Amino acid sequence: MSNPQTNVREIDVYPSRIHSEPAILERQDPVVYSEWTESSPLSKEQSDFYDKNGYLFLEGFFSEAEVNVWRQELRNMWEQARTSNAEEVIREPDSQEVRSIFAVHREGVFAELAKHPSLVGIVQYLLGGDTYIHQSRINFKPGFNGKEFYWHSDFETWHVEDGMPRMRALSCSIALEDNYSFNGPLMVVPGSHRKFVSCVGQTPKDHYKSSLRRQEYGVPDPDSLTALVREGGIDTPTGKAGSILLFDCNIMHGSNSNISPMPRSNVFLVYNSVDNRIGEPFSGQKPRPAHIATRE
Ligand code: 6CS
Ligand code: FE
């Protein structure tokens, strides 16, 4: 992969989907890119917790009134998506149920949400400066048949398939329905953000057309996953609608299928540092479409 400005081949410090054997590499990037001070938007405990664990759960971050507006918009979008063949609409792997809608930050109430000052303040503290939205999506996880998201590191995909150079991005998952232990909440492996699991297998052409429905490449091998879980365990932060889960781009996470009657609909906003803009995919393949990875 060459850097367009200097035509110098950028070194791939996180090689994945290249070798025939998996490997666990050390993280070579900071987690929190700012020094904490009394005026920081997080407490020292919260900032240290995020640095150590790779995630931070803030219960009741947004008000019920705000959530009601977003939940109404989510339901309108769900209705429209049922009969839409827009490329932003992703359906469940075994049915036509809507699984996700991408690029929701482009307009309307979710564009406002992505710029919410109290959220952006925390994100800029953690990433050490200005950011932009690399990707956004609503994962509906409907009751009865919302399917799982197998274990993965988002950064492994964004590095290999979108050309994201370093680990200087994070996701904010905003619960728009109550997240319980039984309706497929996000599970994270605390501390796993400090290890990069180099995966095996060659990225298939147009991989996103299947990976967003059921990801099979760029997922950790059982031994690597077992090692990470043995070291850090599994946390399942749950809480009422309006709670947010901030998680580092490289933390190992996943979620189970939802066979309960209650939907687990969350909005995901992915913030990337403006100093970490994506370039040529390290897979050597063509870039993914703009509704999955912002390039302008
Ligand atoms: O490929 C991606 O960018 C998406 N895949 C997963 C499973 N999580 C991150 C992101 O939504
Ligand atoms: Fe993910």
Side-chain angles (χ1 to χ4, degrees):
M1 180 196 117
S2 64
N3 180 319
Q5 278 77 28
T6 62
N7 225 355
V8 172
R9 195 171 172 74
E10 253 184 275
I11 300 153
D12 183 358
V13 294
Y14 295 115
S16 187
R17 303 187 215 175
I18 296 170
H19 305 301
S20 56
E21 288 303 313
I24 298 184
L25 312 178
E26 289 302 315
R27 180 185 186 113
Q28 299 176 50
D29 294 298
V31 176
V32 177
Y33 282 80
S34 302
E35 284 304 312
W36 185 84
T37 67
E38 291 295 337
S39 59
S40 295
L42 293 175
S43 70
K44 182 96 177 56
E45 295 68 34
Q46 288 172 327
S47 182
D48 291 348
F49 184 93
Y50 182 89
D51 190 63
K52 176 171 179 287
N53 295 285
Y55 78 95
L56 182 66
F57 184 72
L58 300 174
E59 176 94 50
F61 188 81
F62 291 114
S63 70
E64 195 138 338
E66 290 173 303
V67 172
N68 288 337
V69 170
W70 301 330
R71 186 186 286 134
Q72 191 47 56
E73 176 62 11
L74 176 139
R75 289 176 180 163
N76 298 344
M77 293 172 77
W78 164 271
E79 272 317 311
Q80 284 162 16
R82 290 174 87 94
T83 54
S84 159
N85 50 21
E87 58 182 351
E88 289 82 357
V89 176
I90 308 294
R91 297 186 187 282
E92 291 289 359
D94 311 322
S95 74
Q96 284 307 307
E97 283 280 353
V98 175
R99 177 176 173 88
S100 307
I101 299 178
F102 275 74
V104 297
H105 70 284
R106 282 179 175 161
E107 59 188 18
V109 295
F110 295 122
E112 291 313 303
L113 169 49
K115 294 178 213 138
H116 198 291
S118 31
L119 177 54
V120 172
I122 293 174
V123 171
Q124 288 181 337
Y125 163 76
L126 292 172
L127 298 181
D130 286 343
T131 62
Y132 70 96
I133 298 287
H134 164 66
Q135 178 186 101
S136 69
R137 66 199 182 277
I138 293 175
N139 284 349
F140 288 90
K141 192 69 80 87
F144 303 114
N145 46 25
K147 288 289 171 266
E148 77 280 359
F149 287 81
Y150 190 72
W151 294 107
H152 62 282
S153 151
D154 292 339
F155 176 77
E156 193 278 344
T157 292
W158 296 338
H159 180 72
V160 172
E161 299 193 49
D162 296 334
M164 184 181 281
R166 304 301 287 250
M167 296 176 181
R168 191 171 181 179
L170 63 82
S171 291
C172 177
S173 169
I174 299 137
L176 293 188
E177 301 283 0
D178 297 344
N179 280 218
Y180 303 100
S181 60
F182 51 69
N183 65 340
L186 207 64
M187 302 181 290
V188 292
V189 179
S192 60
H193 61 308
R194 292 190 175 281
K195 304 282 185 203
F196 179 74
V197 178
S198 176
C199 301
V200 299
Q202 194 79 28
T203 309
K205 233 171 74 51
D206 290 339
H207 180 220
Y208 68 93
K209 289 182 178 165
S210 59
S211 70
L212 297 178
R213 303 184 74 184
R214 179 174 282 135
Q215 187 174 357
E216 285 158 9
Y217 289 86
V219 292
D221 61 288
D223 291 347
S224 299
L225 190 64
T226 303
L228 293 180
V229 171
R230 190 167 289 139
E231 196 173 328
I234 295 176
D235 280 2
T236 313
T238 54
K240 296 203 105 20
S243 302
I244 67 171
L245 176 63
L246 297 157
F247 57 103
D248 179 82
C249 58
N250 185 48
I251 193 169
M252 195 58 71
H253 65 287
S255 59
N256 287 319
S257 296
N258 180 11
I259 57 171
S260 82
M262 294 81 147
R264 190 235 65 185
S265 304
N266 293 2
V267 184
F268 289 79
L269 299 168
V270 180
Y271 294 87
N272 187 28
S273 164
V274 293
D275 299 326
N276 190 42
R277 285 186 185 280
I278 62 177
E280 288 298 307
F282 285 88
S283 62
Q285 298 202 12
K286 66 182 191 317
R288 298 200 297 175
H291 68 278
I292 297 177
T294 303
R295 284 187 180 273
E296 76 263 5

